[in-house]
Amino acid sequence: MYRHILDRIGRRGAALIIIGTMWVMRGLMLPDDPGRNLTDEAVLYEIYISLPVRQALWIVSGILSILAARCAKTQWIGWFLVCMMPLERTIGHAWSGIMWVWPGMPNGSPYAFVYMFYWLGWTLLINLLASWGEDSITQATQPIQSRKE
């Protein structure tokens, strides 16, 4: 059963479905996220983008990326969408960290830099997965002797 799905959408499509599902779950659990404590983390973009809007962005980008994974020709749209939310988090935390460093600026938090690197890692990992072609994955799983031919 799984082999039929992988033959149709490939490993990149399967990874896109998994990440898209994680994004939908992230959007659904966002109100209960313990990292949302504004007095501790002081993420400035939370002031400008309301919780329901950010929830909708996570959920919609996840659903659309799952739909885009169904066809190899539309998977680039899904990869673009799943990259946007961690990038938004990275920029928001970087902004909050800069506001902490810059004297006279409101809010900010030293913890924002830790979260910035966490979400930057997600962004880079997603970009790495998106850049791999199905051929490179297949080649990497072949024995070394058969690759030289």
Side-chain angles (χ1 to χ4, degrees):
M1 179 175 135
Y2 296 117
R3 194 76 197 139
H4 171 70
I5 294 171
L6 281 179
D7 288 343
R8 183 164 178 240
I9 63 172
R11 290 186 175 110
R12 290 178 64 233
L16 191 55
I17 289 172
I18 292 168
I19 295 171
T21 303
M22 290 170 48
W23 273 207
V24 171
M25 295 301 117
R26 171 81 179 153
L28 293 174
M29 69 177 229
L30 199 56
D32 299 325
D33 185 7
R36 285 194 60 249
N37 185 353
L38 283 175
T39 59
D40 186 30
E41 189 183 347
V43 178
L44 296 177
Y45 63 83
E46 290 203 14
I47 297 168
Y48 300 110
I49 303 175
S50 68
L51 179 64
V53 170
R54 285 186 299 114
Q55 253 187 306
L57 289 172
W58 280 99
I59 293 169
V60 169
S61 67
I63 290 171
L64 291 176
S65 67
I66 291 168
L67 294 174
R70 296 175 53 202
C71 177
K73 292 181 181 183
T74 60
Q75 286 180 3
W76 70 270
I77 298 168
W79 286 108
F80 175 78
L81 290 170
V82 295
C83 191
M84 287 299 99
M85 292 315 294
L87 184 60
E88 178 263 341
R89 301 288 294 173
T90 302
I91 293 168
H93 287 294
W95 183 15
S96 183
I98 291 168
M99 295 301 116
W100 175 72
V101 170
W102 202 274
M105 291 298 217
N107 298 328
S109 169
Y111 299 109
F113 290 116
V114 175
Y115 289 110
M116 177 195 72
F117 285 114
Y118 172 80
W119 287 106
L120 180 62
W122 269 104
T123 305
L124 295 175
L125 178 62
I126 290 168
N127 279 316
L128 179 67
L129 290 173
S131 68
W132 281 348
E134 288 295 329
D135 293 338
S136 63
I137 294 172
T138 305
Q139 183 182 9
T141 59
Q142 291 177 351
I144 293 173
Q145 295 159 345
S146 64
R147 282 192 232 167
K148 292 180 182 178
E149 299 174 338

